[in-house]
Amino acid sequence: MDGFAAVDFEFARQVLQRGIAALYLIAFVSTLNQFRPLLGEHGLMPAPELLAWARTSKRAGRMLRPTVFRWVRYSDRRLVALCIAGIVIAATLVLGIPQLGPPWVPMLAFLLLWGGYMSITAIGQTFYSFGWEMLLLEAGFLAAFLGSDAQPPATVVIVLFWWLVFRLEFGAGMIKIRGGREWRDLTALMYHHETQPMPGPLSRQAHLLPRWFHRAEVLGNHFAQLVVPWFLFAPLLGLWIPGPVPALVGAVAAGIVIATQLWLVATGNFAWLNWATIVIAFSAIGVPGIGAVSRTASDEPPWLIDGLPLAWLIATAAVAAVYVALSWPALRNLFARRQLMNASFNRWQLANAYGAFGTVTKERIEIVVEGTMDENPDAATWREYTFKGKPGELRRIPRQFAPYHLRLDWLMWFLPLGHSLEDWFTALLVRLLEADRPTLRLLAHDPFGGEAPRWVRAVSYRYRFTTRAEFREGHERWRRDRRSEVWGPAALRRPGRLDE
């Protein structure tokens, strides 16, 4: 580092800008494919109804986060237009086109992505309630101030990215230590690979590893999340300590974070959470000799300080000052007895609190949706609807979907953890009885080929991975046993209404 300019972090800037833009591209594609059947005008939880409620009073309006649809009436066509615009802008940033101009150009591009995606998450309700949504928003906002290819990134912005990684990793570590006993007795990962929301192709193999390995996994996780994040700030010492050691310490810390996240990528499907962590962890990797160099101050316009235009230096300093003020609640939360997980303390979802899996479920309960064409449900032949990501057919290898986000599949995992079935699930059953095509496209297989079933029901099963011996017998990756009928049988007596 060289004062106000992080001259050795041009490689980090390139990874941050292009990587974050790529994640925005995936997020907008995911929204384009799924928002309308889930939250559109005829979705399971229609966003226009939420917007109409927000207009009923000032208090209700304040509860809704900023969204362009407060001022522009929502329609599915406008949602599509917003997604396409987001995809185009994100693609240009991935290619590095805006970065060829002055720093204000990529700034505007990232702020448009940030505002556009925040407009979607604000009306996304439970389908957009995941922690990686606010992580993407915060990362996109910070990326707006990384500048362009013409000058080195500002030191304060790189440090803000370290602060983001710290909150993300250290917050997750503190949540675990304060959470379930399984994280303290080192047994958490004896269950997690099997019970995680959406297993991947290698999850079963990871689950079958020896118990000592799982204990080592937990110890490694605690080290990576509770100890390593502090060393991300080591490159700051390079302002006073000559030599490569401070930068090397920061790079090693980032490498450990990246390595642990790659293990999670290989063994699970956590949408873009792990990939976002990997991308922003590159902020601590300095590579000397790449990109623009620091230059001496200029006495004539355009004024330069450490190679940064004075106006840009003032803008980034102002962002840093605002972030210092916004970060106090998140800092206090890290050490609070009742630590909040994935919480935002302001309407703009900046300087958030993060964390995941404070407790690990010990068994996997799946809600299986079934339908029948028979008139009598008590003597019917029931057939299962197959989801794209969640376990269903016992021989099917779980697919790798991340960083793409299957929102319906994820909420199906949360369903048995609640005290009652959610309203969106009731609406889903109605859509299945109507053989609604947009809804059926969210699934992997419709057993009725587009025809409307007579009855539907929801049955709970306990799923577990097969042992190696069991797999050799029947080539099944899962074993399951039926628990109970949690809904139905239900039929469609009136349009949009279920009768049991």
Side-chain angles (χ1 to χ4, degrees), residues 370-374 376-377 380-383 448 452-456:
E370 301 173 336
T372 181
M373 303 291 284
D374 299 337
N376 183 1
T381 299
W382 294 90
R383 289 183 280 178
F448 306 104
R454 182 71 180 80
W455 299 87
V456 293

Side-chain angles (χ1 to χ4, degrees), residues 266-287:
T267 59
N269 267 304
F270 296 97
W272 54 77
L273 173 62
N274 306 126
W275 284 110
T277 308
I278 290 169
V279 168
I280 62 178
F282 269 94
S283 63
I285 298 179
V287 181

Side-chain angles (χ1 to χ4, degrees), residues 368-403:
V368 175
V369 181
E370 301 173 336
T372 181
M373 303 291 284
D374 299 337
E375 285 292 327
N376 183 1
D378 297 326
T381 299
W382 294 90
R383 289 183 280 178
E384 295 182 16
Y385 289 90
T386 304
F387 287 75
K388 293 179 179 179
K390 72 184 290 293
E393 201 276 316
L394 302 182
R395 292 191 176 190
R396 187 177 68 168
I397 301 175
R399 289 179 55 190
Q400 186 69 40
F401 286 97

